[in-house]
Amino acid sequence: MDDATRDGGTKIPYRRAAAWAVLVRFLSASLPLLALALFLAHLLTPGRPAIVTLIVILFHCAATGIAGYGLWSAYPHDRLGRANLVTQLRAAMAVSLSGCLIYPIADDAVWLAVAVASVCLLLDGVDGWLARRDDLVSGFGARYDMEVDSFLALMLTLVAWRSAGWGAEVLLLGLPRYGFLLAAALLPFLRRPLPESFRRKACCVLQIAALILLIAPLPGGRVAGGLALLAGGCLYASFAVDIVHLWRRRV
């Protein structure tokens, strides 16, 4: 973006004006997505609207606030683009599962949870494709997409534990990213950027697909459990590779 432009003879920082426009559009689009998240959450945990509504609103506002700050401070384009709207849609759908923090998902709504997670997974590649098609690729978009994936995985592990009858060890499938962030807060070398990696993306897809199978009320629990073990092994091995990469390049 250019540093400044003129409007009616008054010099106005163009970067700030464009950032405001992008942010306002993003926040405006987030309001109906909050309504969608609340609607889905009510279907997933019927009869407990008050606390579930509060949890969904808090998570949605937190996700929107973090993303909004990223847009304001680091987004390099003057258009929001369709890709970021798709990512925010995925965030809202993931947030709709957050009621499982308090209550198990209703028995007759398990397939809805599977559908929500499956749509999120299918849309995972759409936002990146749209960003490239619209020439709006950004570090912010890639980071926000990754954090939405991590949050979705965490919510699905909670559903698998609280609603699908799997043991607490299933939580290990949703914690690696947050463990890495905690370690990065203590170890500066972990904060360095990592190169793009197909391995990392493939492990994420495998992780979420395995979690969807874990929560689906299908026969063949051993198959789903075996896939979850495979996904967990690949996921932790991928993080180990990244940590070794960053360790070797520490200064």
Side-chain angles (χ1 to χ4, degrees):
M1 294 183 184
D2 298 329
D3 289 337
T5 187
R6 286 187 175 274
D7 182 13
T10 303
K11 195 171 184 179
I12 302 174
Y14 179 66
R15 173 67 180 87
R16 182 174 299 175
W20 268 117
V22 168
L23 182 59
V24 168
R25 187 183 176 195
F26 179 75
L27 294 177
S28 299
S30 295
L31 290 176
L33 293 179
L34 172 59
L36 173 65
L38 289 169
F39 174 71
L40 292 174
H42 176 69
L43 294 178
L44 291 167
T45 53
R48 303 177 179 93
I51 186 64
V52 170
T53 296
L54 178 61
I55 291 171
V56 170
I57 290 175
L58 288 176
F59 273 110
H60 185 81
C61 289
T64 302
I66 293 170
Y69 176 77
L71 282 170
W72 170 258
S73 61
Y75 187 64
H77 306 292
D78 58 1
R79 292 182 294 131
L80 178 62
R82 296 175 292 175
N84 290 314
L85 293 176
V86 170
T87 306
Q88 185 67 354
L89 169 63
R90 294 179 61 239
M93 296 181 76
V95 164
S96 71
L97 299 169
S98 60
C100 65
L101 287 168
I102 304 297
Y103 298 108
I105 287 176
D107 292 340
D108 57 354
V110 174
W111 280 113
L112 176 59
V114 171
V116 168
S118 298
V119 171
C120 283
L121 179 60
L122 291 173
L123 290 176
D124 190 19
V126 173
D127 45 12
W129 178 79
L130 286 173
R132 292 187 293 272
R133 182 178 177 84
D134 296 341
D135 196 23
L136 293 174
V137 175
S138 68
F140 159 79
R143 175 68 183 271
Y144 191 37
D145 181 64
M146 177 179 63
E147 298 303 342
V148 170
D149 287 339
S150 299
F151 182 76
L152 173 62
L154 180 61
M155 292 299 101
L156 289 176
T157 59
L158 289 170
V159 174
W161 177 43
R162 299 272 292 160
S163 304
W166 293 93
E169 64 273 8
V170 75
L171 296 175
L172 293 174
L173 266 178
L175 294 176
R177 172 63 183 166
Y178 299 99
F180 182 84
L181 290 176
L182 179 61
L186 303 174
L187 302 171
F189 78 90
L190 292 177
R191 302 171 201 163
R192 296 174 64 87
L194 285 163
E196 287 194 18
S197 168
F198 176 79
R199 162 190 46 85
R200 202 177 298 122
K201 295 177 182 178
C203 287
C204 176
V205 171
L206 180 61
Q207 172 196 25
I208 294 175
L211 285 167
I212 291 173
L213 285 179
L214 286 180
I215 69 173
L218 294 171
R222 290 185 179 179
V223 174
L227 183 60
L229 285 175
L230 174 63
C234 292
L235 189 65
Y236 279 91
S238 179
F239 272 95
V241 169
D242 287 338
I243 291 171
V244 171
H245 172 86
L246 293 172
W247 171 260
R248 288 177 174 174
R249 284 156 182 79
R250 73 193 186 283
V251 177

